[in-house]
Amino acid sequence: LAKTTQPISMDSYEGQEVNITCSHNNIATNDYITWYQQFPSQGPRFIIQGYKTKVTNEVASLFIPADRKSSTLSLPRVSLSDTAVYYCLVGDILNAGNMLTFGGGTRLMVKP
Amino acid sequence: DTEVTQTPKHLVMGMTNKKSLKCEQHMGHRAMYWYKQKAKKPPELMFVYSYEKLSINESVPSRFSPECPNSSLLNLHLHALQPEDSALYLCASSQVGAMTQYFGPGTRLTVL
């Protein structure tokens, strides 16, 4: 699986848009990008997954540039309940998807 | 039903005890996983079961013994653990090969 690099932590305020960037320079052609959210003492929760350009769901948007060497998770108008750790994972969902290797993650703190 | 359940939520055991962690899902997933997570660290993969057969063992000590009795259940048998094994143990399930895994809430294990 491709190695990922994320900021260790980020601070934001309620109502702001938060963008968390993940670098994955050695992403392979068949790799997808997946983001998980984890609250304290809970299991990670799938947020969004994409291959290229932009993906949007009811929770977040995922922006992937043409070279796919990075991706940005965008959380619109965050609230205090969005305080969590966000993990970016990269892998081939058809062949190596069974092995989820979590990187360090980004600890997001949303302040009032 | 998109829920993975784990029991117990908390477990305290001595180093000579034998205990088991249980995990259950009814989403029809044929891949199930055990992860270990220490405080402020990302989850680390321990075992993967595909179609009720152990497919990946990430060099986990033999004091941890997984079991998959059927496609809905996953157990982790614990024996002669060490204090450093204290952690949050997470169970997850997915379609075989998928990167979208569904995690349970975890069992908080304390080894005295």
Side-chain angles (χ1 to χ4, degrees):
Chain A
L1 297 176
K3 178 178 169 58
T4 60
T5 303
Q6 304 174 233
I8 294 174
S9 64
M10 295 180 68
D11 288 344
S12 182
Y13 291 91
E14 283 189 291
Q16 289 187 335
E17 179 184 74
V18 171
N19 296 308
I20 305 174
T21 298
C22 178
S23 297
H24 28 80
N25 291 320
N26 59 339
I27 189 168
T29 302
N30 294 332
D31 285 348
Y32 278 68
I33 299 152
T34 308
W35 286 79
Y36 282 80
Q37 173 192 56
Q38 186 177 25
F39 298 114
S41 296
Q42 294 187 27
R45 181 177 75 105
F46 170 85
I47 300 176
I48 197 165
Q49 184 178 82
Y51 183 80
K52 62 179 179 181
T53 62
K54 177 183 175 182
V55 179
T56 297
N57 62 23
E58 64 277 7
V59 176
S61 294
L62 179 59
F63 298 92
I64 306 167
D67 67 5
R68 304 200 327 120
K69 293 185 182 298
S70 67
S71 58
T72 299
L73 174 73
S74 181
L75 304 173
R77 298 180 298 281
V78 294
S79 64
L80 296 177
S81 62
D82 292 314
T83 294
V85 179
Y86 292 83
Y87 294 101
C88 163
L89 290 88
V90 174
D92 184 342
I93 65 173
L94 296 180
N95 293 320
N98 272 349
M99 293 187 65
L100 275 185
T101 301
F102 285 80
T106 298
R107 194 169 297 271
L108 173 66
M109 174 67 72
V110 179
K111 303 175 182 178
Chain B
D1 182 4
T2 59
E3 189 180 21
V4 175
T5 59
Q6 290 187 243
T7 55
K9 290 186 177 176
H10 301 275
L11 178 63
V12 179
M13 61 186 291
M15 290 189 285
T16 59
N17 292 157
K18 287 184 180 181
K19 297 287 185 183
S20 296
L21 309 184
K22 297 186 184 301
C23 173
E24 189 168 3
Q25 57 89 14
H26 295 288
M27 293 177 278
H29 292 162
R30 300 302 295 276
M32 296 186 76
Y33 315 78
W34 281 114
Y35 290 83
K36 173 183 177 180
Q37 187 174 27
K38 303 283 275 185
K40 298 192 184 302
K41 297 291 186 181
E44 296 177 16
L45 183 66
M46 300 174 71
F47 302 103
V48 180
Y49 273 83
S50 292
Y51 301 108
E52 296 84 68
K53 293 191 186 305
L54 184 64
S55 61
I56 295 174
N57 176 340
E58 290 290 291
S59 302
V60 179
S62 59
R63 58 185 184 268
F64 295 91
S65 176
E67 177 196 21
C68 191
N70 59 54
S71 60
S72 299
L73 294 174
L74 186 66
N75 299 321
L76 186 63
H77 303 298
L78 314 172
H79 174 55
L81 294 192
Q82 305 297 310
E84 58 265 29
D85 296 321
S86 298
L88 181 69
Y89 287 84
L90 295 162
C91 172
S93 72
S94 75
Q95 301 290 346
V96 174
M99 285 191 71
T100 307
Q101 296 190 0
Y102 294 82
F103 284 81
T107 293
R108 175 72 62 188
L109 174 68
T110 302
V111 182
L112 301 177

